[in-house]
Amino acid sequence: MSIEHLKSLGIFAEVAQQGSFRGAARALGMTPAAVTYHVQLLEQAVGGPLIYRSTRKLTLTETGERLRDAASNMRHLAEAGLEEALNGDGTLRGRFRIALTVSLLRSPVSNALAQFQRDHPNVDLDLCYSDTAHDLIADQIDLALRAGVLQDSSLKCTHVWEMPRILVATPRFLAEHGKIETLDDLAQVPWIKHSHLGTRRRLTHISGTSQDIEQDGNLSVDNIEAMVDLATHGMAVASPPRHYVATQIADGSLVEILPDWSLPAIPVHAIWPGSKVEKPTTKAFLAMLSHHTKAQK
């Protein structure tokens, strides 16, 4: 493989990420013809097509998908190495892209992000809030914070926080359905369910005893923000992260139900691409994150 092929691999990785030759050309400051030339150079090297082209979209071939992963890994490793050299004076610079689940809004993670930006003003933070799991390599994500149980992965991973949850409802809902004073009462009222989770909830009493509850009701949502919004409109009982409804509890628009019973906390993990060269920005942010989340334990 020639040096020219290494450049072509980086360009191909951008084409795969952007989903178009023109998009890659704009991102790289090149002409579409030059981008096309480099992709064709790689196709000649592998002896087959990497991309199926149509008037509406671009689709990677099976070979293209394999090469995309290798090209994205190569690009990430090169960027990490350059950042290591660039930050030799101890000042962090460059873009740092983080993917976060929406449930981490208003959490200690936000405190960590704010402090990190103050401490490292030369870092360009690019934050992607979504409950859809990103492909870290293909989407050029430096680090992701994910809530819940992780799937097996070749990515590096560390546990950063246990996100506490709380049972809440509006005063109006409780007036209409009656006070909820026991788990039997809780089993008789509708819940706002999370479509990514099962419908059974295990609650643990302060005495240590546990009991499973089947969620009633016909309403499901796919993210925490929607759950809290609907709960504040009195539609049903909800079980969001405690930090997410602190303001509503303080102003009385939501009230805590069964405070002697608790739901399992949600584990939060940081994951990032593994490489022999670790990004200094990743190290610094993980240290900041650990400091702020430990304060909440």
Side-chain angles (χ1 to χ4, degrees), residues 273-285:
S275 68
K276 293 182 179 179
V277 181
E278 193 74 80
K279 286 177 69 98
T281 316
T282 299
K283 294 179 185 177
F285 180 70

Side-chain angles (χ1 to χ4, degrees), residues 30-100:
M30 301 173 65
T31 65
V35 171
T36 300
Y37 164 77
H38 281 281
V39 173
Q40 290 175 342
L41 196 67
L42 286 178
E43 290 178 327
Q44 292 171 8
V46 302
L50 299 173
I51 295 172
Y52 292 129
R53 303 164 179 82
S54 71
T55 56
R56 292 189 176 183
K57 66 178 182 177
L58 173 155
T59 305
L60 297 182
T61 65
E62 184 178 352
T63 302
E65 289 179 351
R66 291 196 299 268
L67 191 61
R68 174 201 60 193
D69 294 340
S72 297
N73 274 314
M74 179 207 73
R75 184 170 171 177
H76 177 81
L77 183 61
E79 288 174 349
L82 287 171
E83 185 178 329
E84 182 78 34
L86 181 65
N87 296 322
D89 63 353
T91 300
L92 297 182
R93 301 178 179 87
R95 189 192 73 161
F96 189 51
R97 196 170 197 215
I98 309 175
L100 310 94

Side-chain angles (χ1 to χ4, degrees), residues 244-282:
Y244 216 91
V245 290
T247 299
Q248 291 90 333
I249 289 186
D251 66 22
S253 57
L254 289 173
V255 296
E256 183 176 3
I257 301 168
L258 300 176
D260 290 342
W261 290 87
S262 62
L263 291 153
I266 303 172
V268 178
H269 294 86
I271 60 174
W272 63 99
S275 68
K276 293 182 179 179
V277 181
E278 193 74 80
K279 286 177 69 98
T281 316
T282 299

